[in-house]
């Protein structure tokens, strides 16, 4: 544990280490001792940055929530047909999920044992409701099928999008099968695939 | 801990208690002591039925895997167009997931720390590959879109289906909003919703 290492620690780097530990051990199973060991700094150094592990959790899930709610303020999420806005939001949700992968992963694993976890769940529900409202408007405008109940459709679409955290790894992207010789992270391919499946389904357009 | 209670214990009831404990505490976090307390029988009574907690895990995930693999042997999964067989398999997957909810939930949470867990992951992958092969055949027959890579499409479709374990509860079914005054579990509504979204997407059929 060198002084140099300790000196370079910022709230940001501590947060990224904490998120990894929370994901690996679960938030309940993580102690300040685990965080101290993973970060390579003393517990008192951690307390210099934050009040405790719950503050780290709050900062981590806030980052994910801010990313998601931020989408709804973007112009394309506010202007145009509800179906167009919905498609924009779905695409951006996938982008934010991949860009903030560990933070969104942690958010999706929150269970509600502490005040911070319950707050995070409440904010998630609020986001779900905002997207469900968009889906409802799109159905009312006649652009979205009316034979799947809005809440159920929202849950299934969120289920598909959120499942990406289970397998997507930026350094080992899926979908790079070399068909078109393209390099890169595969992010665009995942976004396009989700948008195609969510709106058009598997069936070939006739 | 009455003798009567102990006498009524069967491997089946022990299994169903163990699965609940594994889901709540995680398999790693579950001790024989936890199982003994939850089942209300002594540890030696448990050892009368099984060699240890890993055998309980194996039996539990086997039940889920047998349910899933069983689908592939059913007539409608073997006869007809690939697209038709695929739709049948997707519908049946949702049915099996809801019928064997705790067992499938546990299967989906398996992480791979023990031999049994690694075996379960390997069987899951095998099932995924069988369904991916069906999707590939459907694409070759021209019934499924070719602009989403098969492996990616399979992952996203499984993601949608598997996410049902996060919210579906047989005693508090989703989708009972009273629109059609229907009673019942809502199972049929979930199966239909998944089939509609997976094959047709959200966009209204024109």
């Amino acid at each position: 544990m060198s002084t140099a290492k300790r000196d370079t620690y910022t709230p940001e780097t501590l947060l990224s280490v904490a998120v990894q530990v929370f994901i690996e051990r679960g938030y309940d199973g993580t102690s300040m001792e685990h965080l101290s060991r993973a970060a390579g700094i003393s517990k008192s150094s951690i307390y210099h940055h934050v009040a405790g592990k719950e503050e780290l959790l709050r900062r981590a899930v806030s980052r994910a929530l801010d990313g998601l709610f931020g989408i709804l303020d973007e112009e394309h999420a506010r202007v145009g047909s509800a179906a167009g806005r919905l498609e924009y939001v779905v695409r951006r949700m996938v982008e934010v999920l991949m860009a903030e992968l560990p933070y969104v992963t942690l958010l999706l694993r929150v269970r509600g044992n502490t005040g911070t976890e319950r707050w995070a769940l409440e904010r998630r529900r609020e986001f779900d409701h905002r997207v469900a409202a968009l889906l409802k408007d799109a159905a009312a405008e006649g652009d979205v099928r009316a034979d799947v109940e809005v809440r159920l459709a929202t849950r299934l679409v969120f289920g598909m999008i959120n499942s990406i955290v289970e397998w997507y790894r930026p350094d080992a992207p899926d979908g790079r099968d070399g068909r078109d010789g393209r390099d890169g992270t595969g992010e665009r391919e995942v976004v396009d695939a989700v948008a195609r499946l969510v709106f058009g389904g598997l069936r070939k357009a006739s």
Side-chain angles (χ1 to χ4, degrees), chain A:
Chain A
M1 203 190 304
S2 68
T3 313
K5 198 170 182 185
R6 179 185 280 143
D7 285 344
T8 59
Y9 254 81
T10 65
E12 182 69 11
T13 51
L14 176 60
L15 189 63
S16 103
V17 170
V19 168
Q20 291 302 340
V21 181
F22 289 155
I23 291 171
E24 277 160 33
R25 300 187 164 268
Y27 176 69
D28 290 340
T30 301
S31 65
M32 287 299 277
E33 183 63 36
H34 293 134
L35 294 175
S36 157
R37 256 182 286 148
I41 58 175
S42 66
K43 280 195 266 184
S44 63
S45 296
I46 296 181
Y47 284 119
H48 173 71
H49 293 297
V50 291
K53 71 170 188 165
E54 195 165 348
E55 184 178 338
L56 286 165
L57 179 70
R58 188 182 53 73
R59 287 192 190 182
V61 295
S62 290
R63 181 159 156 170
L65 287 163
D66 288 350
L68 292 170
F69 276 95
I71 296 168
L72 304 176
D73 294 328
E74 291 168 8
E75 189 186 349
H76 294 295
R78 293 185 290 107
V79 178
S81 70
R85 287 182 286 141
L86 181 63
E87 178 160 350
Y88 178 79
V89 169
V90 164
R91 287 180 166 273
R92 288 287 292 128
M93 277 177 68
V94 179
E95 286 173 357
V96 167
L97 178 145
M98 294 189 292
E100 304 287 358
L101 192 65
Y103 301 93
V104 176
T105 303
L106 184 64
L107 175 67
L108 296 176
R109 295 203 183 159
V110 155
R111 285 292 167 250
N113 295 325
T114 61
T116 297
E117 288 172 278
R118 284 188 291 275
W119 165 81
L121 285 177
E122 187 48 50
R123 292 281 285 162
R124 262 188 72 186
R125 264 193 293 273
E126 202 181 318
F127 184 78
D128 294 5
H129 288 160
R130 296 279 297 271
V131 178
L134 213 44
L135 183 53
K136 201 172 175 182
D137 290 348
E141 290 176 11
D143 295 324
V144 159
R145 60 191 315 149
D147 59 356
V148 178
E149 193 257 330
V150 168
R151 188 144 163 262
L152 185 49
T154 309
R155 279 183 155 163
L156 291 170
V157 168
F158 272 79
M160 177 183 280
I161 294 173
N162 292 341
S163 73
I164 296 170
V165 304
E166 302 295 332
W167 54 265
Y168 180 76
R169 297 295 171 267
D171 46 336
D174 187 73
R176 280 178 60 186
D177 60 356
R179 276 182 309 174
D180 54 5
R182 182 182 39 75
D183 281 319
T185 65
E187 275 185 37
R188 178 55 40 204
E189 187 166 2
V190 178
V191 173
D192 286 344
V194 171
R196 282 171 186 151
L197 292 182
V198 164
F199 291 92
L202 279 177
R203 200 169 289 128
K204 205 169 180 175
S206 51

